[in-house]
Amino acid sequence: MATTAPVLPAFEIDEARLSRELAELATMTSVEPSAVGTAVTRVVFTSDDHTARAWLKGLADEEGFSVRADAVGNTFFRWEGADPKLAAIASGSHVDAIPHAGMYDGTVGVLGGLEAMRALKAAGLKPLRSIELVLLTSEEPTRFGIGCLGSRLIAGVLDAARADSLPDLMPKAEVGATLATVRAEAGFCGPLESCRLEAGHYAGWVELHIEQGPLLEREGMPLGIVTSIAAPAGYRFTIEGVGGHAGALLMPDRRDALCAASEVILSIERHTLAANAASGTNDTVATVGTCDVHPGAVNSVPSRVTLQLDIRDTDPERRESVMQSVRADIDGISERRAVTIKEEFVNADAPATSGAGIVQAIEEACAAEKIVAKKMVSRAYHDSSFMARIAPVAMIFIPSRNGVSHRPDEYSSPESIALGTRILALTLAKLASA
Ligand code: GLV
Ligand code: MN
Ligand code: MN
């Protein structure tokens, strides 16, 4: 039987408005200027984050989209469809930014999603399904030590009590502050269990994001379609040694926690490189991105060090075998240096696979615009990793200049952002029409 495709009105992405709004959002930061690009630090539930949230709400209000926030601050901007009882189609990303980051990570997906909805609405589209833009809380692990906090809670993969007890890692955090106290202060109350959305709540999820890697640019491809997302894991190590006077404590008597921590870091690097050499890939990556030294004085031998490890792989078993090798080294390091090394588990996630139907919808949108897109793996994690637990998902990637991200010189061109937004709009329109 022949089916009639719904007519999609011609629509325009307002590239200038999108660029202007990205630049305006980038001013909501409290970071020293950078010589190489726009530096942004916007940690969740800081005043910059609240300013950004209020500003976005204002933009959504202007369009008549309804706004709802859940107990962790995930915020849902909804354009009601002709049949509101049907599962909605959703898009979204994050606006929090790690310290001294750039202005495109996450923000392109939020403002691009809003622009896509506005453009379709202005063109007179009447979607059958509702379309929602979701601003997800704390995709970055800066404040609470675990990434994708909001989408984990939506997907029910993070226990609510554990989430509420996550300590506030901000350098000036109040003693005993946790997610529970910080979110309440931010005005997001109620049990975290209520953030959970059932599988099927959304009929599909599409996230627009910068690639954050070099492949699209290198291969001259205008866009990417993400077919899977590598599996991240996080651990914290606390190394306890014995402190003392930097002049008087003799070298043979030392149990320096920072020296032991250095060996742990190098062990992680060594086993990661060995895993890549064995697999003939570069799929295993590991980073110790923070190192807190106590008491942190130049003339005091470090007595306690805390490290945060971020380790990822397309193959979670290989990631775990690197961890096993590191643990074996740790036993030796702690014995030889007479220190204790405690490992704390933060998260160990599975890779996510895109939904075939969503990938196909993006491919069809690209074909309609005569765009050839690269199917690719995302090595960065995204909220889509967790939205995949409750809905079929896929992501649209746009090229990142020199593959740079999490730095002030992160850059994607206005044309690429507008193109990605156009493909997002076409995809959302298509998915919301059936
Ligand atoms: C996201 O910011 C990531 O670290 O992959
Ligand atoms: Mn990021
Ligand atoms: Mn991101």
Side-chain angles (χ1 to χ4, degrees), residues 94 105-106 139-140 209 212 382:
H94 61 101
D105 176 4
E139 191 263 0
E140 301 290 7
H209 205 282
Q212 307 182 279
H382 300 283

